[in-house]
Amino acid sequence: MPIRRLPPETVNRIAAGEVVERPSSAIKELVENALDAGATRIEIQADGGGLSRILIADDGHGMAPDQLALAVERHATSKLEPDDAGDVDLLRISTLGFRGEALPSIGSVARLTITSRAKDGDAHQITVEGGDQRPVAPAGFPGPHGARVEVRDLFYATPARLKFMKSERSEAMAISEEIKRQAMAHEGVAFTLDLDGKTTLRLPAEHPGDEGRLKRLAALLGRDFEANALLIDQSREGIRLSGYAGLPTYSRGNGGHQYLFVNGRPVRDRLLQGALRGAYADFLARDRHPAAVLFLEIDPLFVDVNVHPAKAEVRFRDPALVRGLIVGALRHALHAAGHRASTTVADNVLAGFTAHTGPAWSPSSPTARGFSGWTGWDRPVAANQDIPGLSEMSVRVEAPPADVQHWPDPSGAPNPADPIDQPLGAARAQVHGTYIVAQTRDGIVVVDQHAAHERLVYERMKTQMAEGSVIRQALLTPEVVELDPAEADRVIARADELAQLGLIVEPFGGGAVLVRETPALLGDTDVQGLIRDIADDLAEHGAALALSERLGEVCGTMACHGSVRAGRVLSAPEMNALLRQMEATPHSGQCNHGRPTYVELKLNDLEKLFGRR
């Protein structure tokens, strides 16, 4: 068959398949156009999951009549300017859109109407139906400037695409999620979202900065995120990372609460997600995921956003630098959080309590040793009879046996006379041989002694690893691992880094690696599988996560077996010493699997339980 040029309408429809995948994709492109136009207020309406009708109204700069016709032409854009030589620099892209494909792509598969008014100008309108462009004509416009873009019958010109759409509810949920992402990145812009005539999102403009950003995130992700988020703000070599990350005990069952932005653009990047996972590797089980909203600001020269027409993927010139910044910033924030646990831990505990409403054994009238607030008791008893359990000692405080471990005060200072003023309070009891009950000035704290000590032991082992004291074991027979030549080169290039973790590797001809020593912590390990996992991590993330994660898992296992077990009776000094060491140890608010090590209940919470508030 001879080679022939495709008609412009067909070209636009092919492009639409890449740019406009579903209604939320069209809304994303139109909202980004409004943001690039300097809008401070954006209203979005969608009917029938966005397939019947979409309306985007903004108060941006607007367009003059002669610009409307150009706006719907393919590869026509106001966001790229040629230099004196007539060349366009695609490396310095500072706007969200730049390809000039969105409007003509939408117009080729739907009925598109754009009404706009520039400042100090008259309003005009242009319509495109299935690629058929109508002349620009005068029109009415409700505001002094801005634009209204209406899309009807999306994909009516490509019926085959309609068969691949999900239900209206699913498409509406995707639209809502897209608007949430855009609103997170632009807290200074007011957003309103109406779905099928019902307002589902109304966000006023917030003051730019950390305070306004957190207020916007609280409106989108809930007050629990606001209460359990750690501020992130770190810079390295001209790259800045800001935003908020949740405490490990505020983890989720999936990665749906991870939002990543590069220069204000929502992205889905494996490098960034891998860095987020690596930062929380010591604190969460594999089936738990952190909640985080992170914003990366980087010189456009060092990031390529022209990877895919949807602009949701990016490439960094120095991915290792970006990953190191993310991991370092998150770990710094987690370290600064100390032993803090999320507020939702106490909420979950309170939700598990139920008031007793059935018949109770109790005296007919209050006694000196009974509870004074209740009357109308069911069964009379002798006045000198105690309620079972209340007159019994809740824990034995006795001299510990010789083999019981003592925890010294990490500061070396003598313990205060009354530790009740310490963050975790003073130990008052041990129940079921597992839980320490402590009293604070304004509440009580319940500590899981095994989980808490497991974290303390684990942190000590991590410190030893960081100080380079990882013990190595030489293999009786060095093992040769066959790899792809490129994979082998990546592993050998990181030989010094691997040696610090206790793994000694050498080149062994083309595409092979010789392993002489492995970390003693790993014991009898699968060397072949370990090296291949490391090679995969280096290819995907630029870091040897497999080895560090395996060492972390071994340390966690050793810490679990080396910590004080549940069911072991502790003396009062031992319990208080454990509490003091928790206060001085970072990350002691959760065990190695992300579960809380303690629960704190304030007096207000207790009073609510008993109806005093």
Side-chain angles (χ1 to χ4, degrees):
M1 295 177 63
I3 298 174
R4 60 176 61 87
R5 290 187 177 90
L6 293 175
E9 295 81 5
T10 304
V11 173
N12 285 337
R13 289 176 184 174
I14 293 174
E18 298 177 327
V19 179
V20 188
E21 179 185 359
R22 57 195 303 191
S24 60
S25 305
I27 289 177
K28 170 184 179 292
E29 298 290 341
L30 298 177
V31 169
E32 289 181 348
N33 282 345
L35 292 168
D36 284 338
T40 61
R41 187 185 72 255
I42 302 177
E43 299 177 7
I44 304 100
Q45 298 177 15
D47 298 329
L51 294 170
S52 300
R53 176 178 175 268
I54 295 171
L55 175 65
I56 310 291
D58 67 74
D59 62 349
H61 303 315
M63 291 178 283
D66 59 329
Q67 297 292 301
L68 279 174
L70 281 174
V72 294
E73 288 188 13
R74 187 168 168 78
H75 298 312
T77 180
S78 62
K79 301 164 188 179
L80 295 177
E81 294 187 6
D83 56 19
D84 295 338
D87 297 326
V88 175
D89 188 359
L90 288 177
L91 298 179
R92 292 187 179 274
I93 296 174
S94 57
T95 55
L96 298 175
F98 60 91
R99 299 174 64 98
E101 290 183 311
L103 291 176
S105 296
I106 296 172
S108 68
V109 296
R111 295 180 172 91
L112 172 68
T113 301
I114 305 174
T115 307
S116 183
R117 171 183 285 170
K119 291 182 178 179
D120 303 324
D122 296 328
H124 288 75
Q125 177 179 287
I126 189 171
T127 300
V128 182
E129 293 191 5
D132 182 17
Q133 181 177 326
R134 309 288 175 80
V136 177
F141 193 82
H145 55 81
R148 291 171 61 88
V149 182
E150 186 176 36
V151 180
R152 289 185 177 274
D153 302 326
L154 186 61
F155 300 127
Y156 90 95
T158 53
R161 175 58 65 90
L162 282 173
K163 297 179 181 179
F164 292 89
M165 293 297 104
K166 297 182 179 180
S167 66
E168 291 184 3
R169 177 178 173 80
S170 296
E171 298 299 341
M173 291 175 63
I175 291 171
S176 180
E177 188 65 23
E178 181 59 43
I179 298 305
K180 286 181 180 180
R181 282 196 292 266
Q182 297 293 343
M184 288 178 189
H186 305 277
E187 68 273 7
V189 178
F191 286 85
T192 302
L193 174 62
D194 291 351
L195 295 175
D196 294 317
K198 182 180 178 180
T199 300
T200 61
L201 200 64
R202 188 182 299 276
L203 301 170
E206 306 290 351
H207 292 291
D210 293 333
E211 184 177 348
R213 176 179 286 173
L214 183 58
K215 195 173 180 180
R216 172 62 60 84
L217 295 180
L220 293 168
L221 301 179
R223 295 296 177 186
D224 284 343
F225 181 83
E226 180 183 22
N228 298 289
L230 304 173
L231 176 65
I232 309 295
D233 194 350
Q234 294 285 329
S235 299
R236 183 183 299 177
E237 297 185 26
I239 305 175
R240 182 188 177 210
L241 180 72
S242 60
Y244 291 89
L247 290 165
T249 45
Y250 184 71
S251 61
R252 314 297 294 220
N254 57 48
H257 279 64
Q258 297 175 5
Y259 300 90
L260 307 172
F261 303 85
V262 177
N263 292 341
R265 184 191 310 277
V267 299
R268 301 182 185 276
D269 185 81
R270 288 192 302 173
L271 170 71
L272 301 181
Q273 292 172 336
L276 187 59
R277 184 196 70 173
Y280 280 83
D282 284 347
F283 314 110
L284 295 179
R286 289 186 176 271
D287 60 344
R288 302 300 297 176
H289 302 265
V293 183
L294 301 178
F295 302 86
L296 196 70
E297 298 173 28
I298 184 172
D299 189 324
L301 280 173
F302 298 101
V303 59
D304 183 6
V305 299
N306 193 23
V307 178
H308 188 273
K311 305 183 293 297
E313 301 176 18
V314 294
R315 286 200 186 120
F316 297 99
R317 182 176 295 184
D318 190 347
L321 174 62
V322 174
R323 187 185 188 281
L325 172 61
I326 294 174
V327 173
L330 289 172
R331 287 186 174 172
H332 177 78
L334 292 171
H335 186 276
H339 65 273
R340 177 182 167 193
S342 66
T343 59
T344 54
V345 173
D347 294 338
N348 294 336
V349 171
L350 290 172
F353 281 102
T354 56
H356 182 78
T357 57
W361 180 94
S362 48
S364 60
S365 60
T367 67
R369 306 185 68 176
F371 182 64
S372 60
W374 293 91
T375 58
W377 301 79
D378 298 331
R379 185 154 52 94
V381 294
N384 62 352
Q385 185 172 351
D386 295 327
I387 298 177
L390 291 185
S391 61
E392 300 171 5
M393 184 175 294
S394 60
V395 66
R396 294 180 301 163
V397 178
E398 56 187 21
D403 62 340
V404 173
Q405 180 180 359
H406 291 267
W407 293 281
D409 188 335
S411 64
N415 291 329
D418 188 359
I420 196 173
D421 292 315
Q422 298 292 329
L424 295 181
R428 297 301 191 211
Q430 181 190 28
V431 293
H432 295 292
T434 303
Y435 303 103
I436 298 170
V437 180
Q439 178 185 352
T440 62
R441 286 291 179 190
D442 59 350
I444 63 172
V445 174
V446 182
V447 178
D448 182 336
Q449 66 186 39
H450 173 67
H453 194 225
E454 179 182 338
R455 169 56 71 176
L456 301 182
V457 174
Y458 181 58
E459 291 298 325
R460 280 203 301 268
M461 297 181 70
K462 280 173 52 183
T463 301
Q464 294 173 3
M465 288 178 57
E467 293 173 351
S469 55
V470 178
I471 300 175
R472 302 194 298 261
Q473 62 181 5
L475 299 179
L476 185 61
T477 302
E479 192 152 352
V480 178
V481 182
E482 298 287 344
L483 298 171
D484 180 89
E487 293 177 336
D489 291 342
R490 279 192 290 265
V491 172
I492 296 302
R494 297 298 184 102
D496 293 339
E497 175 186 330
L498 297 176
Q500 294 176 1
L501 295 173
L503 184 67
I504 305 301
V505 297
E506 299 174 1
F508 195 76
V513 173
L514 181 70
V515 182
R516 292 192 177 276
E517 299 179 47
T518 60
L521 281 173
L522 296 181
D524 186 12
T525 187
D526 177 10
V527 177
Q528 297 278 341
L530 175 61
I531 295 298
R532 290 193 174 92
D533 287 345
I534 291 174
D536 291 341
D537 282 336
L538 290 174
E540 184 173 357
H541 305 295
L545 298 179
L547 180 56
S548 58
E549 286 186 357
R550 288 195 185 192
L551 287 173
E553 289 178 1
V554 173
C555 287
T557 302
M558 294 177 65
C560 182
H561 290 285
S563 59
V564 60
R565 310 300 296 179
R568 176 173 163 185
V569 177
L570 303 178
S571 67
E574 285 181 305
M575 291 188 287
N576 279 306
L578 179 62
L579 296 178
R580 302 292 80 79
Q581 192 167 357
M582 287 177 64
E583 293 163 353
T585 303
H587 322 306
S588 62
Q590 63 276 328
C591 73
N592 306 340
H593 309 293
R595 295 188 294 269
T597 58
Y598 72 90
V599 175
E600 182 176 10
L601 297 177
K602 299 295 185 182
L603 278 177
N604 289 342
D605 299 326
L606 296 173
E607 290 172 347
K608 288 177 183 177
L609 277 176
F610 292 99
R612 289 178 174 268
R613 281 182 178 267

